Amino acid sequence: MKELFTLYYHRRILFTDFFSQSPLILSLYGLVVSFPIPIILALMLNSFRHKRYRKVIQTVTYAPNFISTVVMCGMIILFLSPSVGVINHVLEAIGIPAVNFMAKKAYWRHIYVWTGVWQSTGWSSVIYFAALAGISPELHEAAKVDGATKLQLIRHIDLPLIMPTATILLIMNCGSILSVGFEKAFLLQNNLNASVSEIISTYVYKVGLINNDMSYSSAIGLFNTIVNMVMLIIVNTISDKLSGNSLW
């Protein structure tokens, strides 16, 4: 009995330390960075006069979304390679020594989040373009007659009218705050950055399939689901009280 209690205690401490370090920080970092950028992109392109150039920019920003995760991770590792990477060649050209980015724990979260922003921003902005397309042109015309600038149009017309859409998407993102993608984290993970790159899904994979401890990995997965559900309810309640926009 004492041995079982000791095993449970050490497992609980291990998982608590793991949960408090990498996944939550990575999830919050990703949410704070990746959520507003598609809104900004949609608002900027919506106010762009030249439709042909706007379509070109939209196509360029959409394209990375169709790159598979494996290819994306291969590109990241290749670009950041200390020997053949383009980034390090640029650094060396300006007199900065080459850096092994994938071996530095301080860089891993930034690499993961910002490459994700590059890959998903264009596609995530589609829904905001749809919301902006539903705004009556008469509102813009009336505001222009009153002397409103582009920034004033965005601030007082576009942004308030897409806020309900943005609020719903924020609630849904908070409902999956701990569900960080397994494939990308696993492919970018190595022994040198494992202390920051270990997330819930990779941890469950290693515990359940590699260590063959299915009951413990199932408990972790259930705990992850419960945390996501609680976050969804809390954020939905707060949004309903503050803005009147909610999922239910």
Side-chain angles (χ1 to χ4, degrees), residues 14 55 68 83 114 124 174 198 204 209 211 225 237:
L14 177 63
K55 290 180 180 179
S68 70
S83 56
W114 287 103
S124 300
C174 290
E198 194 76 273
V204 168
L209 296 181
N211 296 337
T225 303
T237 303

Side-chain angles (χ1 to χ4, degrees), residues 205-242:
Y205 165 75
K206 293 175 182 178
V207 170
L209 296 181
I210 297 180
N211 296 337
N212 199 27
D213 193 347
M214 299 303 295
S215 59
Y216 185 48
S217 63
S218 299
I220 297 173
L222 178 61
F223 178 75
N224 184 28
T225 303
I226 292 173
V227 171
N228 285 334
M229 183 179 66
V230 171
M231 285 296 299
L232 176 65
I233 294 173
I234 291 174
V235 176
N236 186 77
T237 303
I238 294 173
S239 175
D240 188 28
K241 291 184 179 297
L242 294 180

